[in-house]
Amino acid sequence: QVQLIESGGGTVQAGGSLRLSCAASGRTFSTYDVAWFHQAPGKGRDFVAAISSSDSPWYADSAGGRFTVARDNAKNTAYLQMNGLRPEDTGVYYCAAVESSTVIFRHDHDYTYWGQGAQVTVSS
């Protein structure tokens, strides 16, 4: 079992930055792939970025060089650094984890464990 707890959401003006954290319980965090999903108001969850157990990052086109995903296995924590935020980035951001595999999953139904979500609001 893995429990994920997110932090770092908030309200910023367009062009601003936020860093989300996803702290995991359990001793096997390093064997999990971790992803971040964005859910805009009234929409489904969209893939934003992921980092594999081997520390390889993957990004959606929408992340567009603005976002950086990272992990610190010693702290059992994954991060999403978001720069150049836009109003359309507003929504709830979820971290999710799944046991590592040979591919990075980009669909929410492929992930086993989920954080509670962090609200990000970007004002224009």
Side-chain angles (χ1 to χ4, degrees), residues 12-100:
V12 296
Q13 290 188 331
S17 298
L18 284 173
R19 188 177 79 157
L20 303 180
S21 299
C22 176
S25 64
R27 294 174 294 175
T28 59
F29 176 71
S30 62
T31 65
Y32 286 79
D33 297 333
V34 179
W36 292 90
F37 288 84
H38 169 230
Q39 186 168 28
K43 304 288 187 181
R45 288 185 290 201
D46 293 327
F47 175 82
V48 174
I51 188 157
S52 71
S53 61
S54 59
D55 217 22
S56 295
W58 301 82
Y59 297 98
D61 290 343
S62 60
R66 300 181 296 130
F67 296 177
T68 303
V69 63
R71 68 190 298 160
D72 184 339
N73 288 336
K75 296 182 178 179
N76 275 10
T77 302
Y79 304 95
L80 183 68
Q81 176 68 44
M82 303 185 293
N83 299 327
L85 283 163
R86 305 165 180 167
E88 55 264 39
D89 295 320
T90 292
V92 180
Y93 285 75
Y94 296 92
C95 65
V98 66
E99 289 190 20
S100 179

